[in-house]
Amino acid sequence: MTVSLEQLRRCHVAVDLGAARTRVFVKGVGLVVDEPSVAAVNTRTGALIAVGALAEKMTGRTPDYIRVVRPVTGGTVVDIEMAQRMLRHLLGEKLRRQLRRKPRLRAAACTPHDSDPLAQRAAVETLVGLGARRVELVDTLIAAAVGCGLPVEQPTATMIMVCGAATTQVAVLSLGAIVTAERIPVGGDAIDHAVIQHLRHHHELMLPSQSVRPLQLALSGNGLTPQGPASTEIHGRDVATGLARSVTVDTAAVREAIHTPLTAVLDGIGKVLRDCPPDLVADLADRGIMMVGGSALLPGLDQMLREATGMPVHIAERPDVCAVLGLGAMLEGRIQPMVLDPLTERDPLSEDA
């Protein structure tokens, strides 16, 4: 953890700026914002037209003068000014007025593991522009582990996998710190892209980007697993004619298509385990892997990891909001560190002196 729990208890608001969704937790109030990290801008006037869910619905449906932008990519703010404007509108006037009453507003933000100083500075600048006098940065892996109830402060190994939209982060935690971790540039967007490319190449069908996730969820039952449905009907646009067309897709082929990007994730898990001390790996054989993040809900993903690693795989109760809830728990003082006090018994030599 980059900051102490004592410093976090002085913060008033926690922000998780993700590539897919932005979440804000206010101390004493709870989770107040959970919206897509999207903004729609009028390029002629520079005015902000919509943010959040409404802006996401506009994706691919706008005229030339309206541009839909994503100011956050892979957990890193790439457009500070747009991220500030988006956050300002998502918070709303009433909530911003309450936060302005704080004489010295402090904020905490999640940052991806091993993020470079430039990315950290962008996160700080974004919140400073909203009125924060001080910004504390916390590793997303630590915050997510706390949010899903893992005993991170104990001297036992816990393995967490944060499945984001642009990246996947895997780490082994012990004694409140990261023992070994790996950040893989493959996330839910890569899996969606693999499905779109499969339909384009094998069925000559173009699928709207917003229809990919409903398609994956439509594979009812066990989803993208061998026990799921054998086929499903998909509606899209023909590549050659441009007309609407429906095709019946074999789910086994879709499963094979998404397996390619997941290979990089499996390689990352293997690297983390190889770099981990043997004593902690022995703990993980019983505890397994805890999956958090929005992409953890992909049907059949946990089963695929279970078969590939031979370890138990669990999905958190609320995987999409674990990071910001963990950060909120630290703000409200609900997390107590394990106290190590080796000087409880007085040294007899010091008494003689």
Side-chain angles (χ1 to χ4, degrees):
M1 195 181 298
T2 52
V3 291
S4 67
L5 287 171
E6 189 60 39
Q7 288 173 300
L8 287 173
R9 287 194 191 102
R10 298 173 189 160
C11 295
H12 306 99
V13 60
V15 179
D16 180 15
L17 280 169
R21 299 184 76 85
T22 294
R23 300 176 177 94
V24 180
F25 183 100
V26 175
K27 190 175 183 178
V29 179
L31 190 65
V32 294
V33 174
D34 184 5
E35 292 278 343
S37 304
V38 190
V41 186
N42 187 328
T43 55
R44 294 173 182 170
T45 62
L48 205 61
I49 296 173
V51 294
L54 180 57
E56 190 176 46
K57 288 180 182 176
M58 295 181 180
T59 306
R61 297 181 170 90
T62 59
D64 292 340
Y65 67 92
I66 295 178
R67 188 166 58 99
V68 178
V69 296
R70 292 182 176 271
V72 185
T73 302
T76 302
V77 178
V78 293
D79 188 339
I80 296 175
E81 184 187 354
M82 189 55 65
Q84 289 175 350
R85 294 175 68 186
M86 180 186 73
L87 263 176
R88 206 171 285 123
H89 281 78
L90 287 176
L91 286 171
E93 183 61 35
K94 182 179 177 182
L95 189 57
R96 279 188 289 131
R97 201 181 299 120
Q98 290 177 2
L99 293 176
R100 277 199 297 267
R101 291 178 190 154
K102 309 286 184 185
R104 288 186 60 83
L105 181 64
R106 288 173 176 246
C110 293
T111 55
H113 176 70
D114 209 15
S115 58
D116 57 89
L118 196 62
Q120 294 178 9
R121 183 173 178 81
V124 171
E125 290 292 331
T126 301
L127 297 181
V128 166
L130 290 174
R133 299 292 183 90
R134 185 181 175 92
V135 180
E136 310 289 359
L137 299 179
V138 179
D139 199 302
T140 303
L141 291 163
I142 297 284
V146 170
C148 62
L150 291 178
V152 290
E153 74 282 356
Q154 298 300 321
T156 55
T158 53
M159 190 170 190
I160 189 163
M161 179 174 167
V162 180
C163 308
T167 59
T168 299
Q169 302 171 67
V170 186
V172 175
L173 311 174
S174 180
L175 287 172
I178 296 172
V179 178
T180 176
E182 188 73 16
R183 188 178 173 195
I184 307 136
V186 173
D189 291 346
I191 295 173
D192 293 351
H193 184 70
V195 174
I196 291 172
Q197 291 301 311
H198 169 77
L199 293 173
R200 186 184 182 97
H201 292 152
H202 294 83
H203 299 277
E204 296 184 349
L205 193 76
M206 288 185 68
L207 194 68
S209 57
Q210 292 183 0
S211 300
V212 180
R213 200 49 62 89
L215 159 65
Q216 294 166 352
L217 298 176
L219 302 171
S220 56
N222 292 316
L224 296 170
T225 59
Q227 295 79 27
S231 62
T232 185
E233 190 177 16
I234 299 173
H235 307 284
R237 192 180 78 182
D238 190 280
V239 173
T241 64
L243 301 175
R245 185 162 65 92
S246 299
V247 295
T248 302
V249 177
D250 181 19
T251 53
V254 177
R255 190 164 62 247
E256 189 64 32
I258 71 167
H259 198 75
T260 304
L262 288 177
T263 305
V265 176
L266 294 175
D267 290 344
I269 293 174
K271 187 177 185 304
V272 168
L273 291 173
R274 285 193 299 272
D275 295 343
C276 191
D279 292 341
L280 293 180
V281 175
D283 291 344
L284 295 175
D286 298 328
R287 293 178 174 272
I289 306 171
M290 177 65 78
M291 292 175 62
V292 301
S295 300
L297 297 171
L298 180 69
L301 178 57
D302 55 335
Q303 180 67 24
M304 207 174 289
L305 291 173
R306 203 173 287 120
E307 292 172 357
T309 60
M311 296 168 61
V313 178
H314 314 283
I315 300 177
E317 188 177 347
R318 298 179 66 189
D320 49 341
V321 293
C322 277
V324 73
L325 291 182
L327 209 50
M330 296 181 202
L331 261 62
E332 294 182 341
R334 297 200 301 266
I335 306 300
Q336 298 296 328
M338 188 173 73
V339 179
L340 299 175
D341 189 7
L343 301 177
T344 50
E345 296 181 6
R346 292 182 60 83
D347 190 350
L349 294 177
S350 62
E351 291 179 355
D352 294 340

